[in-house]
Amino acid sequence: MTFRDRLHYNSDAGTYHDGDMRYIFIKPEAFMGVALEMPEELRPAIFEAMARTVMLNGGKSAEAYKNRGARDPDALLAVIRETAGQLGWGKWHIETGSDRLTVTVKDSPFAAGYGASDRPVCGPIKGMLAAVSGMIFDAPTVVEEVTCAAMGANHCTFVASVAPGDRP
């Protein structure tokens, strides 16, 4: 069952849920506008805060997907890839290696919502990949956004690898 099939709208409450997880719809420019409203020197900290909170809270969603049957790495990555698109997080392509994931995202809503930048801005994707890659490798990981559409690239590219000193 896909995310969209599981999503339930309660018109009396004005809420969307996937099981006990609540979701909202928000325009990317409204969400990313929070960072744009802050002084330039604070924006890197905002992107890192986005990554940390999505790692924690998005990680709970990934754990729920895993518990619903996506136990092996390929199954979990398939659910994440499908759900990301259905949430409007762009089209994800995931390549796996023994200790690294490379994820290409076309049409990142975060890059589109932020606009032109001299630094990567897709903290939420970075955070989700930190949570998921930690589950895949059963070890702490480091995630880097190596290309960003906000910086003029055709797509955003992320590399998640097992943290130094934590290699299996």
Side-chain angles (χ1 to χ4, degrees), residues 13-73:
T15 59
Y16 286 93
H17 282 87
D18 173 10
D20 62 353
M21 296 176 287
R22 185 173 177 177
Y23 286 85
I24 63 171
F25 291 99
I26 186 168
K27 291 175 64 175
E29 52 276 5
F31 179 76
M32 296 305 287
V34 172
L36 290 167
E37 287 291 319
M38 300 304 291
E40 179 72 31
E41 66 272 10
L42 295 180
R43 293 178 190 172
I46 292 166
F47 300 138
E48 286 303 314
M50 288 176 179
R52 285 190 307 275
T53 192
V54 172
M55 183 178 77
L56 174 66
N57 295 292
K60 291 175 187 175
S61 295
E63 190 67 39
Y65 304 149
K66 190 175 177 182
N67 292 337
R68 289 181 187 159
R71 296 200 184 282
D72 72 83

